[in-house]
């Protein structure tokens, strides 16, 4: 499976890559399959069955909204985030859905969108099954999909989710192989990835795509810093980025740790936008979408001579690390807990920052290892099934850890260390397998149930 930087960094909408972006992609793919099979004009009803984590936390993660948008022909990267709620309200109000934007079918939510909270499909905790019926009630077509984390979707029967055709000039499946390529060719990790990307598009298109990704991240931060109020969902969580931004820009301080307030601000801004259903970049997931933008914004704001070229190198390097987690472990909190989301984002961001700090490939690998080593065992226990508590603050912690990891590896290390990145990735995978299900995006354990009602 060859992965691209644009498989790791995808534009979508909040609040969740696995529970919002993935189900929307799956629904869109199902409608596309109906169209390609010439079945679409004959469909009189579609029933969606959600299983496992998608059922348990789907309402808080806007899975219901995502399914309706996907069935209507919308995609995460192009849907108008500001108009999405109104479109869903029309479907619910009229009890009619325009399937693929073409065929109007009845939609009765209680009968046609079913949450099976006590059932999990065998392949992955995030399962969704779509069934199309004729107006007579005859079953016409059925497909099952799994949202396996980071917006990746696999249809039942497919071996992998995502991936690009090859061969690429520098194939690798482990950090050890990636480092060996660097030693053999003299290439930095960012250049290795850039040459692989050239398999699929000219270099200037990759650069433009990376600039677009950063542009969406930056716009998301700007919206988050400019917007106050309370987040939707019923928990009454107040946005903090707006007031924090005002405080930091209005007050001159000699506090040497104030830089971390800025890092926290950047992460808060992104994840508050994500929680509000705004446009974000899956990096590598929505629940962890604030970590990488926060650390890259830290580089742009606080490093003299910061350049757009280095910003691209940051993203390319971070993507290389994300590819290793995707191939060898998981990006799904429903599978391995939040170590697969904020933990992976921290590891990726640490690697990216180490690269633009001038780190060697060995120091970059060390930074990525540190970033994950101290997130091992991190659970996913969202209160109320919402990507708000503890998810928003957790991104600030991941971002600050990433900065610390990069500094330890580059400024105070030479790349040698006892635990390799490959070892820590395998440890993360095994830890996730051992983790009890109530701590894996089900809201059945942890903070989700052990909180004081005020």
């Amino acid at each position: 499976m060859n992965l691209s930087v644009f498989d790791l960094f995808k534009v979508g909408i909040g609040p969740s890559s696995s529970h919002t972006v993935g189900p929307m992609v799956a629904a869109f793919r199902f409608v596309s399959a109906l169209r390609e099979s010439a079945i679409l004009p004959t469909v009189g009803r579609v029933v969606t069955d959600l299983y496992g984590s998608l059922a348990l936390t789907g309402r808080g993660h806007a899975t219901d909204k995502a399914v309706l948008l996907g069935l209507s022909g919308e995609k995460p990267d192009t849907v108008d985030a500001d108009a999405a709620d109104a479109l869903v309200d029309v479907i619910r109000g009229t009890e009619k859905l325009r399937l693929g934007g073409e065929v109007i079918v009845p939609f009765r939510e209680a009968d046609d969108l079913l949450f099976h909270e006590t059932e999990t499909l065998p392949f992955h905790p995030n399962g969704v099954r779509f069934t199309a019926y004729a107006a007579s009630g005859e079953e016409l077509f059925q497909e099952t999909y799994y949202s396996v984390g980071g917006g990746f979707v696999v249809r039942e029967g497919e071996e992998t989710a995502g991936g690009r055709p090859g061969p690429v000039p520098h194939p690798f499946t482990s950090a050890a192989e990636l480092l060996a390529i660097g030693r053999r060719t003299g290439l930095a990790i960012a250049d290795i990835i850039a040459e692989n990307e050239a398999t699929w598009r000219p270099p200037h298109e990759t650069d433009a795509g990376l600039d677009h990704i950063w542009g969406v991240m930056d716009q998301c931060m700007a919206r988050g810093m400019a917007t106050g109020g309370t987040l939707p969902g019923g928990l009454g969580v107040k946005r903090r980025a707006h007031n924090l931004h005002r405080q930091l820009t209005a007050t001159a301080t000699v506090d040497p740790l104030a830089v971390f307030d800025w890092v926290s601000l950047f992460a808060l801004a992104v994840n508050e936008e994500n929680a509000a259903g705004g446009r974000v970049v899956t990096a590598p997931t929505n629940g962890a979408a604030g970590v990488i933008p926060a650390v890259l914004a830290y580089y742009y704001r606080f490093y003299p001579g910061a350049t757009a070229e280095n910003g691209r190198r940051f993203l390319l390097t971070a993507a290389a690390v994300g590819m290793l987690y995707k191939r060898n472990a998981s990006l799904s909190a429903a599978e391995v807990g939040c170590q697969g989301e904020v933990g992976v984002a921290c590891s990726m961001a640490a690697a990216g920052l180490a690269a633009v700090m001038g780190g060697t490939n060995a120091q970059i690998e060390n930074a990525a290892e540190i970033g994950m080593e101290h997130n091992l065992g991190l659970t996913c226990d969202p209160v109320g099934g919402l990507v708000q508590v503890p998810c928003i603050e957790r991104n600030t912690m991941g971002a600050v850890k990433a900065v610390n990891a990069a500094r330890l590896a580059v400024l105070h290390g030479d790349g040698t260390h006892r635990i390799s990145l490959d070892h820590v990735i395998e440890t993360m995978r095994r830890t996730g397998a051992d983790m009890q299900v109530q701590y894996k995006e089900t809201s059945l354990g942890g903070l989700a149930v052990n909180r004081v009602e005020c």
Side-chain angles (χ1 to χ4, degrees):
M1 175 177 59
N2 294 315
L3 291 171
S4 165
V5 61
F6 301 115
D7 292 323
L8 274 297
F9 299 121
K10 299 185 284 287
V11 177
I13 62 170
S16 172
S17 50
S18 60
H19 287 57
T20 314
V21 174
M24 193 186 306
V25 169
F28 181 88
R29 284 182 58 180
F30 177 71
V31 173
S32 298
L34 291 175
R35 185 181 292 109
E36 291 164 7
S37 302
I39 296 173
L40 184 59
T42 66
V43 174
R45 180 190 177 202
V46 171
V47 175
T48 302
D49 294 280
L50 300 166
Y51 296 92
S53 178
L54 287 185
L56 286 163
T57 60
R59 290 183 177 88
H61 285 56
T63 305
D64 44 359
K65 168 184 169 182
V67 166
L68 297 184
L69 291 171
L71 291 176
S72 299
E74 300 286 353
K75 296 192 295 182
D77 59 333
T78 57
V79 64
D80 184 343
D82 295 327
D85 285 336
L87 175 58
V88 171
D89 288 343
V90 169
I91 295 171
R92 286 171 167 157
T94 62
E95 294 193 333
K96 293 180 180 178
L97 188 152
R98 190 177 292 274
L99 198 61
E102 300 175 27
V103 178
I104 296 177
V105 297
F107 172 76
R108 293 174 292 276
E109 190 157 2
D111 300 321
D112 298 337
L113 184 55
L114 307 176
F115 291 76
H116 301 279
E117 296 182 355
T118 61
E119 297 180 53
T120 300
L121 299 181
F123 179 74
H124 191 277
N126 291 334
V128 54
R129 178 172 291 143
F130 301 99
T131 308
Y133 297 91
S136 63
E138 175 191 0
E139 182 178 313
L140 299 174
F141 194 73
Q142 183 181 88
E143 285 192 332
T144 300
Y145 297 86
Y146 298 93
S147 180
V148 297
F152 288 91
V153 173
V154 58
R155 180 175 52 80
E156 193 162 68
E158 293 177 339
E159 293 185 2
T160 59
R164 306 287 174 115
V168 294
H170 307 297
F172 63 92
T173 59
S174 68
E177 291 176 358
L178 185 60
L179 291 173
I181 293 168
R183 288 192 295 270
R184 185 176 68 249
T185 63
L187 293 172
I189 290 173
D191 296 317
I192 292 169
I193 301 303
E195 290 194 2
N196 283 353
E197 294 294 319
T199 301
W200 305 301
R201 73 193 75 82
H204 73 273
E205 291 185 9
T206 296
D207 288 347
L210 292 169
D211 290 344
H212 174 64
I213 290 297
W214 167 244
V216 175
M217 289 177 171
D218 193 35
Q219 291 165 14
C220 182
M221 278 186 285
R223 287 196 308 272
M225 289 186 285
T227 307
T230 301
L231 293 170
L235 287 181
V237 175
K238 293 182 179 179
R239 288 179 178 252
R240 287 183 285 174
H242 179 56
N243 285 337
L244 180 55
H245 180 249
R246 289 170 54 187
Q247 293 168 11
L248 291 177
T249 53
T251 306
T253 178
V254 293
D255 182 352
L257 296 181
V259 63
F260 288 117
D261 293 336
W262 282 97
V263 175
S264 294
L265 165 65
F266 300 143
L268 285 172
V270 171
N271 282 88
E272 287 174 354
E273 275 297 297
N274 177 64
R279 184 159 302 286
V280 298
V281 173
T282 297
T285 70
N286 281 30
V291 176
I292 289 171
V295 177
L296 185 48
Y298 158 79
Y299 164 72
Y300 276 130
R301 184 178 182 90
F302 293 103
Y303 269 72
T307 65
E309 174 59 28
N310 264 351
R312 298 180 199 116
R313 298 183 70 79
F314 181 111
L315 293 173
L316 289 166
T317 306
V321 171
M323 292 171 192
L324 294 174
Y325 285 99
K326 171 61 181 169
R327 288 187 175 111
N328 300 310
S330 177
L331 305 179
S332 170
E335 194 169 19
V336 296
C338 197
Q339 57 175 356
E341 298 205 22
V342 167
V344 172
C346 177
S347 184
M348 293 170 65
L353 183 59
V356 298
M357 289 173 66
T360 64
N361 286 352
Q363 289 171 317
I364 292 167
E365 184 261 359
N366 188 15
E369 182 275 326
I370 295 170
M372 173 54 74
E373 183 177 331
H374 305 289
N375 280 291
L376 288 173
L378 190 61
T379 61
C380 180
D381 49 356
V383 175
L386 298 164
V387 190
Q388 297 180 18
V389 180
C391 317
I392 295 171
E393 281 185 356
R394 189 166 284 171
N395 276 257
T396 72
M397 299 297 106
V400 170
K401 280 186 180 180
V403 173
N404 193 29
R407 291 177 65 84
L408 281 173
V410 177
L411 300 182
H412 308 292
D414 61 4
T416 60
H417 51 111
R418 289 185 178 273
I419 304 296
S420 72
L421 178 57
D422 289 328
H423 286 148
V424 85
I425 292 174
E426 174 60 12
T427 301
M428 187 271 268
R429 185 191 68 79
R430 293 187 184 185
T431 302
D434 292 339
M435 192 179 291
Q436 295 182 26
V437 70
Q438 59 261 42
Y439 301 113
K440 295 195 282 190
E441 208 166 5
T442 61
S443 290
L444 296 176
L447 295 174
V449 298
N450 296 318
R451 62 190 176 106
V452 176
E453 297 289 350
C454 300

